Amino acid sequence: MSCAFVLESVSCGYGGKKVLDGFSAEIRKGALTALIGPNGSGKSTLLKLLGGIVGYSGKAELGGRELRTMARSEFGRTVGFVPQQTKITSPFTVYEVIAMGRLPYCGLFSKLNADDDAAVLRAADRAGVSHLLFRRASELSGGEQQRVFVAVALAQEPEVFLLDEPTSALDPSQSVRVFSIMRELASEGRTVVVAAHDINGAIPFSDRFLALRGGELAAQGDASELDEKVLAPLYGIEFEKYVSEEGGRAWHPSAKSFSL
């Protein structure tokens, strides 16, 4: 399988402080890759780098092209980004918010054409927010707003989806729905990269994982290869594995890791 992103000796951060320093990794095209690791490990920063939001030094390529050389309009049609939950306070309807995903195609001051409108309606349906289209987005719950942000990225119809903790505000049912959408996108040949604290929610839907710790790549591999030997040093605690009758796996922190 070919690579979508290739990073070599990449460094970036904020306010003169490096979060990623000499980071190198490859992210496969047409696969769902889960970014896992403790708080502050660099997952969100890596997503922002891939999404063209933060500057960097080193080599960062998408499809063989350096990210910083791509025109913003082209980048917007190629990469969709779902940030960590952000409160919507503007008085826009859900339809208007999702329609922002069409800006790379129609521009800021142009009206939506029939194709744009159809893309908005498809995205709303796929994200499960069609019944909210004419509600003010600011009136929605945090979980509903999170699904609206997913719909914005779907409306872009990009080849790459980057999602930062997209299920953090969702109940278990909606979390499964969002991860199922990501799985479907990867099955359609899209590249999906998701930062997730909930490894038990993300890994069953993933093809690959990248484990980050301290701004460095601690481990990587097929999702089926993830085990306690990776998780224990990554998070600094012991894990216990549980296997369901259907063969599904889940990991839980071991009580032995904590002393009262």
PDB file of all heavy atoms in Angstrom, residues 230-251:
ATOM      1  N   VAL A 230       3.142  -2.767  24.032  1.00  0.00           N
ATOM      2  CA  VAL A 230       3.185  -1.415  23.477  1.00  0.00           C
ATOM      3  C   VAL A 230       2.542  -0.433  24.454  1.00  0.00           C
ATOM      4  O   VAL A 230       3.069   0.656  24.716  1.00  0.00           O
ATOM      5  CB  VAL A 230       2.460  -1.352  22.115  1.00  0.00           C
ATOM      6  CG1 VAL A 230       2.365   0.093  21.624  1.00  0.00           C
ATOM      7  CG2 VAL A 230       3.192  -2.207  21.091  1.00  0.00           C
ATOM      8  N   LEU A 231       1.399  -0.811  25.020  1.00  0.00           N
ATOM      9  CA  LEU A 231       0.618   0.107  25.834  1.00  0.00           C
ATOM     10  C   LEU A 231       1.284   0.432  27.171  1.00  0.00           C
ATOM     11  O   LEU A 231       1.231   1.586  27.629  1.00  0.00           O
ATOM     12  CB  LEU A 231      -0.776  -0.475  26.085  1.00  0.00           C
ATOM     13  CG  LEU A 231      -1.664  -0.617  24.844  1.00  0.00           C
ATOM     14  CD1 LEU A 231      -2.945  -1.356  25.197  1.00  0.00           C
ATOM     15  CD2 LEU A 231      -1.983   0.745  24.249  1.00  0.00           C
ATOM     16  N   ALA A 232       1.895  -0.548  27.813  1.00  0.00           N
ATOM     17  CA  ALA A 232       2.465  -0.326  29.151  1.00  0.00           C
ATOM     18  C   ALA A 232       3.540   0.763  29.157  1.00  0.00           C
ATOM     19  O   ALA A 232       3.442   1.729  29.921  1.00  0.00           O
ATOM     20  CB  ALA A 232       2.992  -1.635  29.723  1.00  0.00           C
ATOM     21  N   PRO A 233       4.576   0.684  28.324  1.00  0.00           N
ATOM     22  CA  PRO A 233       5.573   1.763  28.324  1.00  0.00           C
ATOM     23  C   PRO A 233       5.040   3.072  27.746  1.00  0.00           C
ATOM     24  O   PRO A 233       5.525   4.148  28.093  1.00  0.00           O
ATOM     25  CB  PRO A 233       6.700   1.195  27.463  1.00  0.00           C
ATOM     26  CG  PRO A 233       6.064   0.170  26.592  1.00  0.00           C
ATOM     27  CD  PRO A 233       4.962  -0.421  27.415  1.00  0.00           C
ATOM     28  N   LEU A 234       4.029   2.971  26.898  1.00  0.00           N
ATOM     29  CA  LEU A 234       3.474   4.179  26.281  1.00  0.00           C
ATOM     30  C   LEU A 234       2.790   5.057  27.330  1.00  0.00           C
ATOM     31  O   LEU A 234       2.983   6.277  27.354  1.00  0.00           O
ATOM     32  CB  LEU A 234       2.476   3.788  25.187  1.00  0.00           C
ATOM     33  CG  LEU A 234       1.869   4.929  24.364  1.00  0.00           C
ATOM     34  CD1 LEU A 234       2.938   5.632  23.547  1.00  0.00           C
ATOM     35  CD2 LEU A 234       0.765   4.383  23.445  1.00  0.00           C
ATOM     36  N   TYR A 235       2.000   4.432  28.198  1.00  0.00           N
ATOM     37  CA  TYR A 235       1.235   5.182  29.195  1.00  0.00           C
ATOM     38  C   TYR A 235       1.838   5.107  30.596  1.00  0.00           C
ATOM     39  O   TYR A 235       1.358   5.778  31.514  1.00  0.00           O
ATOM     40  CB  TYR A 235      -0.212   4.679  29.228  1.00  0.00           C
ATOM     41  CG  TYR A 235      -0.978   4.997  27.959  1.00  0.00           C
ATOM     42  CD1 TYR A 235      -1.104   4.051  26.947  1.00  0.00           C
ATOM     43  CD2 TYR A 235      -1.555   6.245  27.766  1.00  0.00           C
ATOM     44  CE1 TYR A 235      -1.809   4.336  25.783  1.00  0.00           C
ATOM     45  CE2 TYR A 235      -2.261   6.540  26.607  1.00  0.00           C
ATOM     46  CZ  TYR A 235      -2.379   5.580  25.620  1.00  0.00           C
ATOM     47  OH  TYR A 235      -3.064   5.871  24.461  1.00  0.00           O
ATOM     48  N   GLY A 236       2.849   4.270  30.774  1.00  0.00           N
ATOM     49  CA  GLY A 236       3.514   4.174  32.073  1.00  0.00           C
ATOM     50  C   GLY A 236       2.728   3.414  33.118  1.00  0.00           C
ATOM     51  O   GLY A 236       2.959   3.587  34.321  1.00  0.00           O
ATOM     52  N   ILE A 237       1.793   2.576  32.698  1.00  0.00           N
ATOM     53  CA  ILE A 237       1.023   1.741  33.616  1.00  0.00           C
ATOM     54  C   ILE A 237       0.837   0.365  32.985  1.00  0.00           C
ATOM     55  O   ILE A 237       1.039   0.189  31.780  1.00  0.00           O
ATOM     56  CB  ILE A 237      -0.365   2.348  33.933  1.00  0.00           C
ATOM     57  CG1 ILE A 237      -1.171   2.547  32.640  1.00  0.00           C
ATOM     58  CG2 ILE A 237      -0.228   3.659  34.700  1.00  0.00           C
ATOM     59  CD1 ILE A 237      -2.601   2.998  32.895  1.00  0.00           C
ATOM     60  N   GLU A 238       0.433  -0.597  33.795  1.00  0.00           N
ATOM     61  CA  GLU A 238       0.162  -1.931  33.281  1.00  0.00           C
ATOM     62  C   GLU A 238      -1.277  -2.016  32.763  1.00  0.00           C
ATOM     63  O   GLU A 238      -2.174  -1.321  33.261  1.00  0.00           O
ATOM     64  CB  GLU A 238       0.375  -2.974  34.374  1.00  0.00           C
ATOM     65  CG  GLU A 238       1.811  -3.067  34.859  1.00  0.00           C
ATOM     66  CD  GLU A 238       2.776  -3.461  33.744  1.00  0.00           C
ATOM     67  OE1 GLU A 238       2.416  -4.354  32.932  1.00  0.00           O
ATOM     68  OE2 GLU A 238       3.863  -2.880  33.672  1.00  0.00           O
ATOM     69  N   PHE A 239      -1.481  -2.837  31.759  1.00  0.00           N
ATOM     70  CA  PHE A 239      -2.804  -3.050  31.194  1.00  0.00           C
ATOM     71  C   PHE A 239      -3.177  -4.522  31.274  1.00  0.00           C
ATOM     72  O   PHE A 239      -2.309  -5.405  31.195  1.00  0.00           O
ATOM     73  CB  PHE A 239      -2.849  -2.611  29.728  1.00  0.00           C
ATOM     74  CG  PHE A 239      -2.944  -1.127  29.535  1.00  0.00           C
ATOM     75  CD1 PHE A 239      -1.822  -0.320  29.632  1.00  0.00           C
ATOM     76  CD2 PHE A 239      -4.160  -0.531  29.259  1.00  0.00           C
ATOM     77  CE1 PHE A 239      -1.895   1.053  29.449  1.00  0.00           C
ATOM     78  CE2 PHE A 239      -4.258   0.844  29.077  1.00  0.00           C
ATOM     79  CZ  PHE A 239      -3.132   1.633  29.180  1.00  0.00           C
ATOM     80  N   GLU A 240      -4.467  -4.762  31.411  1.00  0.00           N
ATOM     81  CA  GLU A 240      -4.997  -6.121  31.337  1.00  0.00           C
ATOM     82  C   GLU A 240      -5.859  -6.242  30.090  1.00  0.00           C
ATOM     83  O   GLU A 240      -6.649  -5.352  29.781  1.00  0.00           O
ATOM     84  CB  GLU A 240      -5.830  -6.436  32.572  1.00  0.00           C
ATOM     85  CG  GLU A 240      -5.009  -6.461  33.859  1.00  0.00           C
ATOM     86  CD  GLU A 240      -5.853  -6.762  35.078  1.00  0.00           C
ATOM     87  OE1 GLU A 240      -7.096  -6.910  34.911  1.00  0.00           O
ATOM     88  OE2 GLU A 240      -5.308  -6.833  36.191  1.00  0.00           O
ATOM     89  N   LYS A 241      -5.679  -7.324  29.360  1.00  0.00           N
ATOM     90  CA  LYS A 241      -6.420  -7.529  28.112  1.00  0.00           C
ATOM     91  C   LYS A 241      -7.638  -8.402  28.369  1.00  0.00           C
ATOM     92  O   LYS A 241      -7.572  -9.385  29.120  1.00  0.00           O
ATOM     93  CB  LYS A 241      -5.519  -8.175  27.055  1.00  0.00           C
ATOM     94  CG  LYS A 241      -6.233  -8.398  25.711  1.00  0.00           C
ATOM     95  CD  LYS A 241      -5.272  -8.854  24.634  1.00  0.00           C
ATOM     96  CE  LYS A 241      -4.791 -10.269  24.858  1.00  0.00           C
ATOM     97  NZ  LYS A 241      -3.998 -10.774  23.717  1.00  0.00           N
ATOM     98  N   TYR A 242      -8.736  -8.027  27.720  1.00  0.00           N
ATOM     99  CA  TYR A 242      -9.958  -8.807  27.774  1.00  0.00           C
ATOM    100  C   TYR A 242     -10.341  -9.189  26.357  1.00  0.00           C
ATOM    101  O   TYR A 242     -10.257  -8.367  25.442  1.00  0.00           O
ATOM    102  CB  TYR A 242     -11.089  -8.008  28.435  1.00  0.00           C
ATOM    103  CG  TYR A 242     -10.814  -7.667  29.875  1.00  0.00           C
ATOM    104  CD1 TYR A 242     -10.064  -6.541  30.202  1.00  0.00           C
ATOM    105  CD2 TYR A 242     -11.280  -8.479  30.902  1.00  0.00           C
ATOM    106  CE1 TYR A 242      -9.789  -6.226  31.527  1.00  0.00           C
ATOM    107  CE2 TYR A 242     -11.012  -8.171  32.226  1.00  0.00           C
ATOM    108  CZ  TYR A 242     -10.265  -7.045  32.530  1.00  0.00           C
ATOM    109  OH  TYR A 242      -9.984  -6.741  33.841  1.00  0.00           O
ATOM    110  N   VAL A 243     -10.743 -10.440  26.166  1.00  0.00           N
ATOM    111  CA  VAL A 243     -11.130 -10.935  24.848  1.00  0.00           C
ATOM    112  C   VAL A 243     -12.566 -11.427  24.918  1.00  0.00           C
ATOM    113  O   VAL A 243     -12.904 -12.247  25.777  1.00  0.00           O
ATOM    114  CB  VAL A 243     -10.198 -12.070  24.374  1.00  0.00           C
ATOM    115  CG1 VAL A 243     -10.614 -12.546  22.983  1.00  0.00           C
ATOM    116  CG2 VAL A 243      -8.744 -11.610  24.360  1.00  0.00           C
ATOM    117  N   SER A 244     -13.415 -10.910  24.021  1.00  0.00           N
ATOM    118  CA  SER A 244     -14.817 -11.317  24.010  1.00  0.00           C
ATOM    119  C   SER A 244     -14.976 -12.677  23.350  1.00  0.00           C
ATOM    120  O   SER A 244     -14.039 -13.207  22.740  1.00  0.00           O
ATOM    121  CB  SER A 244     -15.654 -10.279  23.259  1.00  0.00           C
ATOM    122  OG  SER A 244     -15.359 -10.319  21.875  1.00  0.00           O
ATOM    123  N   GLU A 245     -16.176 -13.235  23.438  1.00  0.00           N
ATOM    124  CA  GLU A 245     -16.453 -14.518  22.797  1.00  0.00           C
ATOM    125  C   GLU A 245     -16.310 -14.431  21.291  1.00  0.00           C
ATOM    126  O   GLU A 245     -15.995 -15.414  20.624  1.00  0.00           O
ATOM    127  CB  GLU A 245     -17.862 -14.988  23.166  1.00  0.00           C
ATOM    128  CG  GLU A 245     -18.033 -15.324  24.635  1.00  0.00           C
ATOM    129  CD  GLU A 245     -19.445 -15.813  24.938  1.00  0.00           C
ATOM    130  OE1 GLU A 245     -20.284 -15.822  24.005  1.00  0.00           O
ATOM    131  OE2 GLU A 245     -19.702 -16.186  26.099  1.00  0.00           O
ATOM    132  N   GLU A 246     -16.535 -13.201  20.750  1.00  0.00           N
ATOM    133  CA  GLU A 246     -16.403 -13.014  19.298  1.00  0.00           C
ATOM    134  C   GLU A 246     -14.965 -12.726  18.880  1.00  0.00           C
ATOM    135  O   GLU A 246     -14.658 -12.594  17.694  1.00  0.00           O
ATOM    136  CB  GLU A 246     -17.289 -11.848  18.845  1.00  0.00           C
ATOM    137  CG  GLU A 246     -18.781 -12.094  19.001  1.00  0.00           C
ATOM    138  CD  GLU A 246     -19.250 -11.895  20.431  1.00  0.00           C
ATOM    139  OE1 GLU A 246     -18.485 -11.263  21.217  1.00  0.00           O
ATOM    140  OE2 GLU A 246     -20.341 -12.365  20.772  1.00  0.00           O
ATOM    141  N   GLY A 247     -14.050 -12.639  19.855  1.00  0.00           N
ATOM    142  CA  GLY A 247     -12.653 -12.387  19.536  1.00  0.00           C
ATOM    143  C   GLY A 247     -12.231 -10.944  19.636  1.00  0.00           C
ATOM    144  O   GLY A 247     -11.069 -10.611  19.382  1.00  0.00           O
ATOM    145  N   GLY A 248     -13.161 -10.057  19.981  1.00  0.00           N
ATOM    146  CA  GLY A 248     -12.806  -8.654  20.151  1.00  0.00           C
ATOM    147  C   GLY A 248     -11.901  -8.456  21.359  1.00  0.00           C
ATOM    148  O   GLY A 248     -12.012  -9.170  22.359  1.00  0.00           O
ATOM    149  N   ARG A 249     -11.014  -7.460  21.258  1.00  0.00           N
ATOM    150  CA  ARG A 249     -10.057  -7.207  22.332  1.00  0.00           C
ATOM    151  C   ARG A 249     -10.308  -5.844  22.963  1.00  0.00           C
ATOM    152  O   ARG A 249     -10.722  -4.907  22.289  1.00  0.00           O
ATOM    153  CB  ARG A 249      -8.621  -7.254  21.802  1.00  0.00           C
ATOM    154  CG  ARG A 249      -8.208  -8.587  21.202  1.00  0.00           C
ATOM    155  CD  ARG A 249      -6.870  -8.445  20.499  1.00  0.00           C
ATOM    156  NE  ARG A 249      -6.952  -7.463  19.420  1.00  0.00           N
ATOM    157  CZ  ARG A 249      -5.920  -6.727  19.006  1.00  0.00           C
ATOM    158  NH1 ARG A 249      -4.731  -6.854  19.567  1.00  0.00           N
ATOM    159  NH2 ARG A 249      -6.072  -5.861  18.013  1.00  0.00           N
ATOM    160  N   ALA A 250     -10.035  -5.760  24.266  1.00  0.00           N
ATOM    161  CA  ALA A 250     -10.108  -4.484  24.976  1.00  0.00           C
ATOM    162  C   ALA A 250      -9.049  -4.488  26.057  1.00  0.00           C
ATOM    163  O   ALA A 250      -8.668  -5.549  26.574  1.00  0.00           O
ATOM    164  CB  ALA A 250     -11.490  -4.273  25.575  1.00  0.00           C
ATOM    165  N   TRP A 251      -8.535  -3.292  26.360  1.00  0.00           N
ATOM    166  CA  TRP A 251      -7.493  -3.170  27.384  1.00  0.00           C
ATOM    167  C   TRP A 251      -7.959  -2.195  28.454  1.00  0.00           C
ATOM    168  O   TRP A 251      -8.532  -1.140  28.145  1.00  0.00           O
ATOM    169  CB  TRP A 251      -6.187  -2.655  26.767  1.00  0.00           C
ATOM    170  CG  TRP A 251      -5.599  -3.572  25.753  1.00  0.00           C
ATOM    171  CD1 TRP A 251      -4.705  -4.583  25.966  1.00  0.00           C
ATOM    172  CD2 TRP A 251      -5.841  -3.559  24.345  1.00  0.00           C
ATOM    173  NE1 TRP A 251      -4.390  -5.203  24.777  1.00  0.00           N
ATOM    174  CE2 TRP A 251      -5.084  -4.592  23.763  1.00  0.00           C
ATOM    175  CE3 TRP A 251      -6.646  -2.775  23.518  1.00  0.00           C
ATOM    176  CZ2 TRP A 251      -5.079  -4.855  22.412  1.00  0.00           C
ATOM    177  CZ3 TRP A 251      -6.667  -3.037  22.160  1.00  0.00           C
ATOM    178  CH2 TRP A 251      -5.886  -4.070  21.622  1.00  0.00           C
TER     179      TRP A 251
END
